[in-house]
Amino acid sequence: MNVNNDIWLNDLKRKREQGPTLHKESYSQYSDATKAVHAGQYNDPITGALGTPIFQCSTFHLNESSYKAIEEGRGREKMIYSRYGNPSQWSVQEKVSSLEGAESSIVFSSGMAAISSAILAILDKGSHLVSSRDIYGGTYNFLYEDLYRYGMSVTFTSPTDIDAIEAAIQENTKVLYFEALTNPLLKLTPLKELVALGKKYNLRVIIDNTFLTPFNVKPLELGVDLVVNSATKYLNGHSDLIGGTASGSRKLIDRIWPQMLKNGGSMDPHACFLLERSLKTFALRMRTHNENALQIARYLEAHEKIKRVYYPGLASHEQHDLAKSQLNGKYSGMISFEIDGGNMNAHKLLSHLKLPKEATSLGGVESLISLPYNTSQASLTKDQQKAIGINEGLIRLSVGIEDLEDLISDFEQALNNVFK
Ligand SMILES: *Cc1c(COP(=O)(O)O)cnc(C)c1O
């Protein structure tokens, strides 16, 4: 098929610099742990205060240069009004860009604000997007229920089968939208092949990297055009705010910015402060999430009452080879597993566990555990759940940064209690 998309996205009309930015230092030569601490931090030159203040203001003094920027459509580069931009946003955006290896980023009031704004900014009326059913429920609902209202359309296909994805591409397709690691069965989207498909048909590739984060894989470095994250999860990591990010080329992010203004999902300065502060320990946290999860996945797989464990770091994972090459040994902090005795025993296990808290969401310092059949996949019928592999007794665990031995002992006592 010959898809003839126009070149609007690659046709750079105006020279753009990295940003918006508060200072000139670049941390690009450093590793993630260093970037996480230093990049984007704004140290106040007047008081000498170390660390980014919370700029709790809705508006800013206007001057010649702000008027000029507004007139020339460069409002994103100046402080004008906090929905447009705010130093607290710029600071954390820069840290996120540094970690993603992005030219530019925007922070949003939620992951869904980032996702919906990005998609609406990139699709035109009449255009089509290819995605999969293995995506976050909120995203699925947005694509399924809302795109058609804007005269846009979507096809849902497999996240793992490149041939099926290619077959879903139409003449009006503009975007391939997938998650790097899916919920709850932890399927991997083959990013390099997806990018090659995007190149072949001149499509934009958007990846939701919430389950992996840039610590485990940097999709932009593999040629993905845009990365979105729910910052509510690992990026913030403390289960105390809702936020989202979008990162990519300056040109693409400049295109998403006006959509953010219209939809109104900008991030509040106080949430920016919390996110930037939390990101300082990002590398430490992610290292521990990854290491704990691998060991707990091994422990569960060896347990006679656990029927099956889904974890990309296990040789039993269907895409373990892809996981090895794509994730570089960093397999994420998420595990799903099936317990003997179906949902009844799954509920029992949750009630006997002392450390993992029974809650939806993921990526916090505390372990969180839930049953997909009555949380993330609750809107599906039993048959639909079965069809996508949500079997009886499936449990989803977001492994926290607690002591590994404590977590394993807790699972040991809880499993002993269920099967005594
Ligand atoms: C939670 C989540 C979202 C939505 O993020 P919010 O911050 O809750 O709006 C999107 N994608 C994935 C993969 C998620 O886990």
Side-chain angles (χ1 to χ4, degrees):
M1 188 199 354
N2 185 13
V3 178
N4 186 17
N5 275 339
D6 51 41
I7 54 165
W8 48 269
L9 270 172
N10 296 324
D11 183 17
L12 200 58
K13 297 244 167 47
R14 170 162 71 77
K15 190 175 175 317
R16 286 170 168 83
E17 294 170 0
Q18 165 152 23
T21 179
L22 293 166
H23 39 58
K24 289 263 176 284
E25 296 122 83
S26 159
Y27 290 88
S28 59
Q29 75 272 33
Y30 296 109
S31 69
D32 283 349
T34 308
K35 289 174 179 171
V37 173
H38 292 288
Q41 176 165 305
Y42 176 77
N43 301 314
D44 184 51
I46 294 179
T47 62
L50 200 70
T52 312
I54 306 172
F55 289 88
Q56 196 70 48
C57 57
S58 60
T59 193
F60 299 84
H61 282 295
L62 294 172
N63 57 29
E64 270 313 301
S65 94
S66 28
Y67 287 125
K68 193 154 181 283
I70 297 170
E71 195 180 303
E72 293 171 359
R74 294 183 291 105
R76 194 178 165 227
E77 293 165 13
K78 297 287 168 201
M79 301 298 174
I80 296 166
Y81 181 66
S82 279
R83 175 158 44 79
Y84 294 36
N86 172 294
S88 297
Q89 291 167 4
W90 285 21
S91 178
V92 68
Q93 282 170 180
E94 218 171 313
K95 199 184 284 291
V96 169
S97 289
S98 182
L99 291 166
E100 294 280 11
E103 271 178 15
S104 197
S105 298
I106 306 179
V107 290
F108 292 82
S109 56
S110 69
M112 281 314 302
I115 291 164
S116 55
S117 300
I119 289 172
L120 289 179
I122 296 176
L123 287 186
D124 300 319
K125 188 174 178 190
S127 58
H128 173 255
L129 172 148
V130 177
S131 187
S132 117
R133 276 180 203 281
D134 292 84
I135 54 171
Y136 181 71
T139 310
Y140 178 80
N141 292 344
F142 170 69
L143 296 176
Y144 184 72
E145 295 170 4
D146 285 11
L147 279 196
Y148 82 92
R149 300 169 189 237
Y150 296 93
M152 303 160 179
S153 58
V154 55
T155 301
F156 297 102
T157 177
S158 158
T160 57
D161 181 348
I162 286 291
D163 293 338
I165 297 171
E166 183 163 16
I169 294 172
Q170 308 174 359
E171 238 162 81
N172 58 343
T173 304
K174 282 256 163 88
V175 169
L176 304 176
Y177 182 100
F178 291 89
E179 294 181 0
L181 185 66
T182 70
N183 174 44
L185 297 178
L186 306 178
K187 299 175 190 170
L188 282 157
T189 297
L191 295 178
K192 282 187 187 153
E193 292 177 310
L194 195 71
V195 165
L197 207 56
K199 292 249 153 34
K200 182 170 169 190
Y201 293 98
N202 193 21
L203 312 174
R204 293 327 119 199
V205 178
I206 307 181
I207 291 295
D208 179 337
N209 199 31
T210 301
F211 270 47
L212 286 169
T213 82
F215 186 78
N216 288 358
V217 64
K218 296 192 198 315
L220 296 175
E221 285 181 355
L222 300 178
V224 163
D225 296 286
L226 186 79
V227 178
V228 291
N229 282 287
S230 168
T232 313
K233 318 292 169 49
Y234 286 109
L235 293 186
N236 182 59
H238 293 71
S239 306
D240 57 6
L241 67 76
I242 300 284
T245 68
S247 303
S249 68
R250 177 72 199 275
K251 184 173 171 66
L252 190 51
I253 297 298
D254 273 354
R255 190 185 166 101
I256 294 169
W257 181 73
Q259 194 68 44
M260 186 269 281
L261 299 191
K262 285 179 273 188
N263 292 356
S266 59
M267 187 178 253
D268 172 79
H270 189 255
C272 293
F273 163 77
L274 286 173
L275 179 57
E276 203 237 331
R277 185 186 194 273
S278 297
L279 277 170
K280 291 179 188 179
T281 56
F282 176 62
L284 273 179
R285 287 188 281 110
M286 290 311 299
R287 217 174 279 142
T288 309
H289 285 300
N290 289 331
E291 286 169 8
N292 277 359
L294 179 60
Q295 297 309 326
I296 291 173
R298 286 180 179 155
Y299 163 81
L300 290 170
E301 188 167 56
H303 198 284
E304 55 168 357
K305 298 295 185 187
I306 302 300
K307 282 165 50 178
R308 181 157 184 195
V309 179
Y310 299 86
Y311 186 71
L314 295 177
S316 58
H317 189 279
E318 275 175 23
Q319 296 167 293
H320 182 57
D321 286 339
L322 174 65
K324 272 199 284 194
S325 60
Q326 197 157 289
L327 305 182
N328 235 327
K330 294 176 283 191
Y331 298 113
S332 100
M334 299 301 296
I335 303 173
S336 290
F337 60 99
E338 285 167 24
I339 190 170
D340 259 1
N343 292 338
M344 195 183 71
N345 277 351
H347 281 290
K348 275 193 195 159
L349 181 74
L350 267 50
S351 71
H352 285 297
L353 283 167
K354 297 191 175 116
L355 292 175
K357 299 293 175 251
E358 188 171 345
T360 187
S361 197
L362 60 119
V365 289
E366 66 284 289
S367 296
L368 297 176
I369 196 160
S370 60
L371 307 185
Y373 95 89
N374 69 2
T375 52
S376 51
Q377 268 70 27
S379 63
L380 304 179
T381 65
K382 278 268 169 285
D383 285 344
Q384 286 172 328
Q385 290 185 352
K386 250 217 165 90
I388 62 166
I390 315 287
N391 295 328
E392 275 273 323
L394 184 74
I395 298 171
R396 187 187 83 174
L397 172 65
S398 166
V399 179
I401 63 165
E402 299 95 336
D403 181 76
L404 177 62
E405 296 307 316
D406 288 343
L407 286 171
I408 289 181
S409 317
D410 195 26
F411 273 95
E412 186 77 10
Q413 68 76 23
L415 283 162
N416 285 343
N417 263 306
V418 174
F419 294 103
K420 70 178 175 226

